[in-house]
Amino acid sequence: MPAHTLTVGFDLDMTLIDSRPGIKVAYETLSAETGVYIDTDLVVSRLGPPLQDEVANWFPADAVAEACDRYRAIYPDTAITPSVALPGAREAVEAVQALGGRAMVVTAKYEPNAKLHLAHLGIGADILTGGLWAEAKAEALLEHGARIYVGDHTGDVRGAHAANALSVGVTTGPCDEEELRAAGADVILPDLTAFPAWLRAFAAA
């Protein structure tokens, strides 16, 4: 790909997909298997940070790694089917590609499970990188020359800025407009349905 090709990064959970129904089932299954209480409604209200950060709220430190491994194993059979694409998700990715660009997904989620979500929902990203959160997302964004990163969390804003990319915030996740703006988001949209028109204007400027 030429260096000038437009590359746009997207977060996954609560940016492209509403994974709350699936994640809730996965945690309920983990709780039933282990006998450890997990407030799944609370969990899905604060998606974004890495799995181990959330699991550490419910399991003792010496059990976190094992619980995370089990959660990831449970995930394909419990979390993929209930999760849905957010409004405008496919169209946002296609808008990048219609301009001759590349759409990439950079997520903290375990990459094989993220790949299952994209395939199930027919979201045709060109590049997928999992296992990166907040500033660490800059690794992938810089590698592929992303000029824009779209996300719903203040951690996504930090990741964009760490990669010297434009931060586009969407208010479909746990962080509202005020939080995203305070974190330094350059653009804030209500959801991805507004993204194609914004991107065309950006590309034409």
Side-chain angles (χ1 to χ4, degrees):
M1 278 286 178
H4 61 266
T5 296
L6 175 66
T7 301
V8 178
F10 294 89
D11 177 49
L12 183 64
D13 291 308
M14 303 313 300
T15 297
L16 289 171
I17 70 171
D18 185 350
S19 50
R20 290 174 299 183
I23 288 174
K24 182 177 173 67
V25 176
Y27 272 105
E28 286 171 347
T29 305
L30 180 65
S31 178
E33 282 192 6
T34 60
V36 173
Y37 171 75
I38 300 172
D39 184 340
T40 57
D41 290 323
L42 179 59
V43 168
V44 300
S45 74
R46 58 188 185 194
L47 299 181
L51 172 64
Q52 58 268 27
D53 290 9
E54 183 60 57
V55 170
N57 292 315
W58 310 103
F59 288 80
D62 61 357
V64 167
E66 183 179 354
C68 287
D69 287 344
R70 184 58 191 146
Y71 173 89
R72 293 187 183 106
I74 289 167
Y75 199 96
D77 292 331
T78 57
I80 303 302
T81 302
S83 300
V84 298
L86 282 164
R90 297 181 190 89
E91 294 83 356
V93 168
E94 291 164 2
V96 176
Q97 296 162 337
L99 291 171
R102 297 178 299 168
M104 64 184 300
V105 173
V106 186
T107 174
K109 190 180 293 297
Y110 181 54
E111 189 170 310
N113 290 340
K115 186 175 182 180
L116 292 175
H117 276 300
L118 295 177
H120 178 71
L121 295 172
I123 299 173
D126 301 291
I127 303 161
L128 168 63
T129 303
L132 298 178
W133 162 242
E135 288 84 355
K137 292 188 175 191
E139 297 171 20
L141 297 173
L142 288 166
E143 178 184 352
H144 295 284
R147 293 173 59 192
I148 301 165
Y149 186 59
V150 186
D152 65 282
H153 200 283
T154 55
D156 299 322
V157 178
R158 302 202 309 271
H161 288 168
N164 298 312
L166 192 77
S167 170
V168 176
V170 286
T171 57
T172 45
C175 299
D176 62 19
E177 180 177 354
E178 184 178 350
E179 291 174 278
L180 293 170
R181 196 174 301 284
D186 299 296
V187 176
I188 299 176
L189 303 173
D191 57 39
L192 288 177
T193 63
F195 182 78
W198 174 84
L199 182 67
R200 287 191 292 270
F202 171 84

